Amino acid sequence: MTTPSTGSTDPKVEELLREGIAAARAGDRATARAKLREVVALDQRNEKGWFWLASVAETLEERRTCLGNVVIINPNNEKAKQMLEQISLSSVSDSLREADAARERAQLIRTAAIVGGVLVLLLILVLILLGGGAEPPVPTVAALATETPDGSLQTATAAAFALQTANAESTRQARLQPPTLPPTWTPSPTPTPRGGPSPTPLPSLPFKLEGRLIVQYGTPLTRDGYLPLFLYDLATGELTPLTARERGDFGRFVPDGRRFAYARFVSGARPQLLFRLANLNGSQPQELSAFWRNQPPLADQAMLSIARNGQGLVFVARNVIVENDPTSDVYYLPLRLSVASGRAPTATPTPRLGEPTPEATSAFELEPTAELVQVQRVTARNSGVNAWASISPDGKQIAFVSDRSDIGGDGHDIYIVPVNEKFAPERAVTNDGAALVESGVEWSPDGKQLLFAAGAPNSGRADLFIINADGSNRRMLVEDFGECVRPIWSPDGKFVVFSSKRSGKWELYVVEVASGAVYQLSQTTEDVIIATDWGK
């Protein structure tokens, strides 16, 4: 376990910290809270102060907040991460127990409804027999047992009907809701895209595709919506776990083809994503923030993009601790990732989960540039909400989406800036303003074009577009397909894989760039499969 650091040389802070820890150990929680709260007020990056404050927190939410700050300051603090995970699992268990209890109550109501309905029918039959063939009375609404849209039965009296309605609402509230995905980071579709979902599958590919995908796959069981990552073999359709039970997003192949980077989900009072590097068999995990010594500590790390030649990477994050900046910005890390041992990625079969990697050593074979420890901020503070960063194949340009409506701009547009020019003037690629919301920007393998999704705000749909990097020759690639998200180029640039909820759940589709022909790639039993990268 990593020992929490004080992160401070201020004598006053050190004295308060010692007094707070001593009070906590003596069982004087009120004094400890007062001292430790003063510590973190004077030094917001004091890892040890936040950690001890969590131990004497008055509420569960306060404890989550303290531990979440510890993890932001030091992503390697395993003890804090374990404690956060325990809190999260406890909360989920409570929700599941409430849901089970609600379902049991609903089952009792349904049983009572069925019995009541049978008794009403028997009463009507008796009245008919006693009436000697007279016309039976017309039952009122309150005397009918009818089926409601959620599959439950209304009972035979108005009072029972009211009770049934209340229990149905209780059951609905108790169920775990579908994932609410942050709209800036991940797709947040409407239930019914334009034209309505079509359960009829599209034709499958008439030919085999080459390469592998990194995909999010599964059925969300928690509200955050993040899922485990898998390796999807395009030749066989086989899925191999990459992150085991750990959930995350934005998986990307390292150029050597044997490793990958991804944003792993860290639960807590303020859940977030933090980047990690690992071999494809899950071995040798390493926090990406270690390469810039986590200075500054960046929260909500997402939308990773690695240059195809390995010359640098970009991502989106928030500098909430040092700068108290609530909006997302683009960051560049001059980290050079090269092919391991100088051999081609195809020299070794893809390892299965739990198998050793032949080239695995005690550390990643990284070749850092001179600025290895310096992460560079690309977009200035108060420049809008910046997202969907993508670095060009040669590592020299960065494309991103910026929403500038809160600072006097028209809305979302795509911009390009050169690498290694801090706060360089950006060049606009699109100028739709408030008319369209762009997302999922990706450079073409030859570096000449940009691929992206775009749709009218709150329309529940998004089409796919291709545009030259200079802003010319914009054309529609996929149109009227509901909501298309996360378009990814094939390594040869001839195809694009994307996800759509056309069938009623998220499936993978492939479009041939030259012809515009769309084919269905997956037909899964789970609710979600979304591609995040396409490698060889």
Side-chain angles (χ1 to χ4, degrees):
M1 180 189 78
T2 302
T3 302
S5 168
T6 64
S8 175
T9 57
D10 187 335
K12 181 179 179 180
V13 172
E14 290 293 320
E15 182 181 358
L16 286 167
L17 182 62
R18 284 194 298 271
E19 293 174 351
I21 293 175
R25 286 173 171 166
D28 187 354
R29 297 172 65 86
T31 300
R33 279 194 297 271
K35 298 286 186 181
L36 294 169
R37 283 171 179 170
E38 192 172 351
V39 167
V40 297
L42 293 171
D43 181 7
Q44 295 183 4
R45 293 168 57 191
N46 196 302
E47 177 187 354
K48 200 168 186 178
W50 285 114
F51 190 85
W52 276 94
L53 183 56
S55 70
V56 294
E58 292 185 280
T59 66
L60 184 61
E61 286 305 313
E62 183 183 358
R63 191 180 189 198
R64 281 176 174 167
T65 299
C66 294
L67 292 171
N69 287 337
V70 172
V71 174
I72 292 174
I73 295 167
N74 179 14
N76 294 317
N77 193 316
E78 296 298 330
K79 182 64 175 178
K81 289 188 287 188
Q82 291 172 8
M83 293 167 70
L84 276 173
E85 190 64 28
Q86 289 172 0
I87 293 173
S88 177
L89 290 174
S90 176
S91 299
V92 171
S93 297
D94 290 343
S95 296
L96 290 173
R97 282 193 293 270
E98 291 174 7
D100 289 340
R103 281 192 290 272
E104 290 177 4
R105 289 194 299 270
Q107 182 60 44
L108 290 174
I109 292 295
R110 283 194 291 269
T111 302
I114 293 172
V115 172
V118 171
L119 291 176
V120 169
L121 292 175
L122 289 174
L123 177 60
I124 292 172
L125 182 59
V126 169
L127 290 174
I128 292 173
L129 294 175
L130 293 176
E135 289 294 325
V138 179
T140 63
V141 173
L144 291 176
T146 58
E147 189 170 351
T148 62
D150 67 353
S152 59
L153 294 176
Q154 296 177 354
T155 55
T157 67
F161 172 78
L163 179 62
Q164 166 66 19
T165 303
N167 277 276
E169 176 63 16
S170 174
T171 303
R172 187 185 69 82
Q173 294 292 341
R175 291 193 187 106
L176 289 177
Q177 299 297 313
T180 303
L181 307 180
T184 301
W185 308 127
T186 49
S188 180
T190 57
T192 307
R194 176 181 164 185
S198 173
T200 304
L202 289 181
S204 57
L205 282 164
F207 45 82
K208 291 291 185 181
L209 291 172
E210 297 182 351
R212 302 167 295 176
L213 304 177
I214 295 178
V215 299
Q216 274 189 308
Y217 177 69
T219 296
L221 299 178
T222 55
R223 296 183 181 183
D224 57 77
Y226 295 111
L227 293 168
L229 298 181
F230 287 77
L231 199 65
Y232 183 96
D233 190 314
L234 286 167
T236 64
E238 182 180 2
L239 284 161
T240 304
L242 284 176
T243 59
R245 297 176 61 183
E246 187 175 64
R247 296 177 294 126
D249 199 355
F250 306 108
R252 293 286 190 174
F253 288 105
V254 171
D256 62 17
R258 299 189 182 97
R259 297 170 292 172
F260 76 111
Y262 67 103
R264 63 187 182 89
F265 177 70
V266 179
S267 62
R270 200 177 69 79
Q272 62 168 318
L273 298 172
L274 296 174
F275 287 130
R276 175 173 283 183
L277 285 161
N279 291 318
L280 287 179
N281 64 354
S283 65
Q284 295 181 288
Q286 186 171 7
E287 303 300 324
L288 189 63
S289 61
F291 292 100
W292 72 85
R293 298 178 183 174
N294 202 36
Q295 297 299 323
L298 299 174
D300 299 328
Q301 300 167 13
M303 302 176 185
L304 178 69
S305 174
I306 303 175
R308 289 178 182 265
N309 66 355
Q311 304 300 305
L313 55 86
V314 295
F315 59 93
V316 171
R318 303 178 200 266
N319 194 332
V320 293
I321 292 182
V322 177
E323 297 184 1
N324 194 26
D325 187 357
T327 59
S328 56
D329 283 290
V330 178
Y331 289 85
Y332 169 70
L333 189 64
L335 187 67
R336 186 160 66 248
L337 300 157
S338 53
V339 175
S341 304
R343 281 176 285 188
T346 55
T348 304
T350 302
R352 300 298 180 196
L353 188 66
E355 293 180 357
T357 304
E359 278 73 33
T361 59
S362 59
F364 284 109
E365 298 185 28
L366 304 176
E367 298 178 8
T369 63
E371 299 84 17
L372 171 62
V373 297
Q374 183 62 54
V375 64
Q376 301 174 18
R377 183 169 179 158
V378 176
T379 52
R381 186 175 181 178
N382 298 324
S383 61
V385 179
N386 302 297
W388 297 109
S390 179
I391 191 167
S392 60
D394 60 7
K396 295 182 179 180
Q397 298 184 88
I398 300 168
F400 64 98
V401 175
S402 185
D403 177 10
R404 301 185 176 177
S405 55
D406 289 342
I407 58 171
D410 292 334
H412 294 74
D413 275 310
I414 298 174
Y415 298 85
I416 291 178
V417 293
V419 169
N420 290 329
E421 293 185 26
K422 189 174 182 180
F423 305 150
E426 70 269 0
R427 172 172 54 84
V429 180
T430 63
N431 58 359
D432 304 304
L436 291 177
V437 176
E438 290 90 349
S439 66
V441 180
E442 291 283 323
W443 286 89
S444 61
D446 61 9
K448 296 179 180 180
Q449 298 175 308
L450 293 174
L451 167 71
F452 63 97
N458 303 315
S459 65
R461 56 162 291 181
D463 301 319
L464 300 186
F465 297 84
I466 292 177
I467 192 171
N468 289 342
D470 61 5
S472 64
N473 194 29
R474 173 172 173 163
R475 67 184 180 93
M476 187 87 70
L477 181 63
V478 176
E479 184 178 13
D480 292 333
F481 208 79
E483 187 165 13
C484 303
V485 300
R486 303 288 188 91
I488 302 289
W489 294 92
S490 63
D492 60 9
K494 294 181 179 179
F495 298 91
V496 166
V497 65
F498 65 96
S499 292
S500 172
K501 209 175 182 182
R502 172 187 179 274
S503 66
K505 60 181 181 177
W506 291 103
E507 295 280 10
L508 295 176
Y509 298 85
V510 171
V511 55
E512 188 175 30
V513 175
S515 66
V518 181
Y519 303 95
Q520 187 157 344
L521 183 59
S522 68
Q523 293 188 50
T524 71
T525 57
E526 302 289 345
D527 289 344
V528 175
I529 180 166
I530 294 178
T532 63
D533 202 11
W534 190 336
K536 295 181 179 179

